[in-house]
Amino acid sequence: MTQPKAVLIGPPGSGKSTVGAALAERLGLVLRDTDADTEAAAGKPIGEIFIDDGEEHFRGLESEAVRVALEEHEGVLALGGGAILSAETQRRLSGHTVIYLQVGLSEAVKRVGLASARPLLVLNPRSQLRKLLEERLPIYERLGTIIVATDGRDPGEIVEEIVKELERAS
């Protein structure tokens, strides 16, 4: 059965894309990002999907992108920050090596920036990010088979910890 070596989850600013790319390179694998898959399926950026079609439509596209990627990708897979909100996606992640990249609010705000182009953070990025972290934290913690703190650490350090955890788990 084909399945990703590692699935990265976490809120905006946790480093899924950056750490995912470095981890894939370190393991000699390919990184796949479900946000990119969702944009490709819609033919437009995520922000435009939200504006033109609404969040519900976006979440449907995102859930399908996750389903396909989990079935066919053998490398490192980075999920969009809100992908874990889908009960179906939560169920599908069972049995996978899910790495939760943990980030605090202050660090996430620094990484994302207050002038974010992320659709859910448009009006008041700091307040919205706090709300997202509060509602998603229990899900991230429950789904993560490996939890890695990212605050104050560079991607190389985080990747080395993940590699050690992957070796320990296999």
Side-chain angles (χ1 to χ4, degrees), residues 60-126:
L61 293 172
E62 179 180 55
S63 183
E64 178 63 9
V66 171
R67 181 192 69 75
V68 170
L70 287 172
E71 289 177 1
E72 67 183 28
H73 186 64
E74 295 179 315
V76 175
L77 180 61
L79 302 190
I84 50 85
L85 295 172
S86 159
E88 191 61 27
T89 293
Q90 291 176 34
R91 185 189 65 70
R92 286 187 177 118
L93 288 173
S94 177
H96 289 276
T97 301
V98 179
I99 300 164
Y100 164 37
L101 297 179
Q102 197 175 51
V103 65
L105 177 63
S106 297
E107 187 80 13
V109 167
K110 277 189 249 174
R111 293 178 187 173
V112 170
L114 294 179
S116 176
R118 297 166 194 248
L120 291 179
L121 303 180
V122 169
L123 297 177
N124 182 340
R126 187 177 186 86

Side-chain angles (χ1 to χ4, degrees), residues 33-44 46 49 58 61-63 65:
D33 187 323
T34 59
D35 278 350
D37 291 352
T38 302
E39 289 180 337
K44 54 187 163 186
I46 289 171
I49 301 169
F58 166 75
L61 293 172
E62 179 180 55
S63 183

